Amino acid sequence: MQKHILLAITGLSPQVVTETLYAIYQQQLEWPTEIRLITTRTGKMQAKLGLLIPPEGKSLNRLQQLCADYNRPVPTFTEAHIAVVPNADGQDVDDARSNADQEALADFIVSQVAQLANDDECQIHASLAGGRKTMTFYLGYAMTLFARPQDRLSHVLVDAQFEGLRDFYYPTPTTCVITGRDQNTHLDAADAKVTLAEIPFISQRQSLAKTTLAAFAHSPADQPPSYRDLVRYENLAQDRDNLSLTFNTKERLVVLSGTQGETINIDFNDAPLQLAFFAMMARHSQLANPIKLVRSKDANKTYGHLFLQELERIEGLPVTHMATEADYGYRIEQLRNQFLRSTQDRTLDSLKQGMDAQFWDDRKNQLKLYLCKQFPESMLDCLLPGPVFKPKKENRNQFEPTAFDGRNPQGAAWGLWLKQTNIHFNDQ
């Protein structure tokens, strides 16, 4: 059976849970099989007292009573289903005041939604009715990032005279006298009007890399990426036409920059071969560059030579600009022994006859996997090498820029899609 989870932010008013449940019943939506709350330390106490402990003289708590009144099954809900947001030190928080506390709060809420959305057997109904504004914002934004088509986002609306009353939890099926805003005013809970307002949202799930989704869906102990980093990546993706890359090959570092001052360091210490392929493609992305890189089934020692040059820069070795046939094999052996001496990698052996399509594709795929660990899918198109120059009709050996439409015209030359002036090298 599929799980239907009501996920809500609560503060000092746990009544939003029963109000939402009543509205779900009224509108005949999927009835939750489970309830999960995200709140503060004080909010958890209020939720326990208001939802889990029966009022004085009663045998049922308010959640159980609502279900009994409207003949609905009681959703699974215990103290373990109440998650308390942490502060920057990982301690349960009463009120997130510092910037560090706010970031910890955001990371926690986004991670909670990602974990639920990673379960194909789970449908989420997220409620924005309670808690602090910042917490509800993060819940709403997390839903835009991770929610699937079956998930729902809503807010519950209550008549003004009943809203916020301590004793009002939901409209009862029969008369139930409660105290109004002062001790001399009494109201009948059965007269209250509660409405569920569904909130449409634009899903961005498809723009996120699968590895990003998986990283956020892991437990906090696995240290998923931060909410702040994810926002930075998405902002850079929106600025894709103005991105800049600076290659610091010797430091095995590539710096990605946007026009709004956002910068991200891409560390290639664990992926030197991917960096060499990335730098080779970037270096030959200029139309005026005399060498054009065209993927070919046949082994090409010119391309192999260019790839070895990048490895020499990465290792801080003298760059071989003029290489003989005999030098080629010697350089491969020297780099394999020195550059990869601590590994069992024999990738360079496949370059002995030159760079062929298999080597080309392997390096591109490995570069994509490496970048997928850090960036959303929306950024990969503009970062990954691709066909950027198409052959001119009148002279197939000359090239002109091709449109950024993902097509791979036959005989196209490869490079990076970034503007030529936005690619820089710090090789010293």
Side-chain angles (χ1 to χ4, degrees):
M1 182 180 69
Q2 188 179 48
K3 294 180 291 186
H4 298 280
I5 295 181
L6 174 60
L7 176 65
I9 300 288
T10 62
L12 300 181
S13 300
Q15 292 93 329
V16 296
V17 175
T18 45
E19 291 166 356
T20 302
L21 285 172
Y22 171 81
I24 288 174
Y25 163 77
Q26 282 290 95
Q27 296 189 19
Q28 298 182 347
L29 302 176
E30 300 89 350
W31 184 256
T33 58
E34 183 179 327
I35 298 171
R36 297 198 185 189
L37 304 185
I38 300 175
T39 186
T40 61
R41 185 167 52 201
T42 302
K44 180 175 182 178
M45 180 58 67
Q46 293 301 308
K48 287 168 56 180
L49 295 174
L51 299 175
L52 291 175
I53 298 177
E56 186 176 355
K58 302 287 186 179
S59 60
L60 300 178
N61 63 40
R62 290 183 174 90
L63 178 59
Q64 295 167 333
Q65 187 63 59
L66 179 148
C67 294
D69 285 345
Y70 294 102
N71 194 29
R72 302 305 301 157
V74 180
T76 301
F77 181 62
T78 67
E79 186 176 344
H81 291 78
I82 306 174
V84 178
V85 297
N87 62 17
D89 299 320
Q91 304 300 312
D92 289 353
V93 71
D94 251 342
D95 196 6
R97 291 291 184 181
S98 70
N99 287 335
D101 287 349
Q102 286 291 322
E103 290 195 19
L105 178 152
D107 292 345
F108 182 80
I109 293 175
V110 170
S111 180
Q112 292 284 308
V113 174
Q115 290 178 44
L116 293 177
N118 197 47
D119 184 353
D120 292 335
E121 298 301 316
C122 164
Q123 180 183 21
I124 305 170
H125 184 148
S127 170
L128 303 181
R132 284 193 172 275
K133 292 183 176 63
T134 51
M135 295 174 68
T136 56
F137 168 82
Y138 290 132
L139 176 59
Y141 189 64
M143 289 292 288
T144 70
L145 291 174
F146 300 110
R148 294 84 36 98
Q150 69 265 32
D151 298 323
R152 189 187 303 270
L153 185 64
S154 74
H155 180 71
V156 69
L157 305 174
V158 181
D159 282 353
Q161 60 179 334
F162 289 93
E163 186 177 12
L165 294 184
R166 186 180 67 177
D167 294 331
F168 177 74
Y169 277 76
Y170 62 93
T172 54
T174 58
T175 296
C176 178
V177 179
I178 61 173
T179 303
R181 299 202 183 279
D182 61 71
Q183 295 299 316
N184 298 320
T185 302
H186 294 87
L187 300 170
D188 184 355
D191 293 336
K193 297 292 187 293
V194 173
T195 305
L196 193 73
E198 186 164 353
I199 302 174
F201 59 91
I202 298 173
S203 175
Q204 299 181 38
R205 184 182 180 91
Q206 295 303 317
S207 72
L208 298 178
K210 292 181 179 178
T211 49
T212 302
L213 293 169
F216 270 99
H218 290 163
S219 67
D222 291 324
Q223 296 182 337
S226 72
Y227 168 80
R228 176 179 287 274
D229 283 341
L230 184 58
V231 171
R232 289 167 65 206
Y233 298 158
E234 289 297 327
N235 285 340
L236 283 169
Q238 299 301 316
D239 199 25
R240 59 186 299 161
D241 291 335
N242 300 300
L243 296 179
S244 296
L245 284 176
T246 302
F247 287 79
N248 298 301
T249 48
K250 190 173 181 180
E251 297 178 16
R252 302 189 182 190
L253 181 70
V254 178
V255 181
L256 175 66
S257 307
T259 55
Q260 304 302 315
E262 297 277 9
T263 61
I264 295 176
N265 292 337
I266 313 173
D267 186 348
F268 280 90
N269 269 295
D270 296 330
L273 296 177
Q274 283 79 290
L275 174 57
F277 183 76
F278 199 16
M280 181 184 77
M281 287 295 179
R283 203 178 295 272
H284 293 82
S285 289
Q286 294 183 346
L287 185 61
N289 196 302
I291 299 178
K292 291 291 177 289
L293 306 177
V294 180
R295 181 184 177 280
S296 171
K297 292 183 179 179
D298 299 327
N300 187 313
K301 284 193 174 178
T302 298
Y303 297 170
H305 166 69
L306 298 176
F307 185 82
L308 295 178
Q309 282 185 330
E310 299 300 343
L311 289 182
E312 289 168 339
R313 292 184 178 99
I314 290 169
E315 186 62 8
L317 297 172
V319 178
T320 305
H321 292 288
M322 299 293 291
T324 65
E325 186 78 13
D327 288 337
Y328 186 81
Y330 170 77
R331 289 166 69 209
I332 290 178
E333 190 65 23
Q334 180 190 38
L335 284 166
R336 187 169 66 80
N337 291 337
Q338 179 172 342
F339 185 75
L340 300 168
R341 55 187 177 275
S342 62
T343 75
Q344 299 301 313
D345 196 313
R346 295 295 180 266
T347 302
L348 292 183
D349 287 343
S350 60
L351 267 185
K352 287 184 177 179
Q353 301 304 315
M355 184 182 295
D356 59 13
Q358 184 64 53
F359 187 94
W360 182 294
D361 293 343
D362 287 347
R363 298 278 59 80
K364 179 178 181 291
N365 291 336
Q366 289 300 314
L367 176 61
K368 180 177 181 179
L369 289 174
Y370 197 79
L371 294 177
C372 268
K373 295 177 182 178
Q374 187 164 355
F375 295 103
E377 195 77 35
S378 53
M379 290 196 64
L380 293 184
D381 285 343
C382 56
L383 291 179
L384 285 174
V388 296
F389 308 121
K390 60 183 178 180
K392 290 184 177 180
K393 292 181 179 180
E394 61 273 14
N395 186 340
R396 303 295 291 179
N397 294 321
Q398 295 182 352
F399 296 86
E400 58 187 355
T402 185
F404 183 39
D405 56 10
R407 288 182 295 177
N408 188 0
Q410 187 175 6
W414 282 46
L416 301 189
W417 287 103
L418 277 70
K419 293 179 181 178
Q420 300 169 21
T421 54
N422 290 0
I423 300 175
H424 313 282
F425 289 87
N426 291 333
D427 292 324
Q428 303 301 321

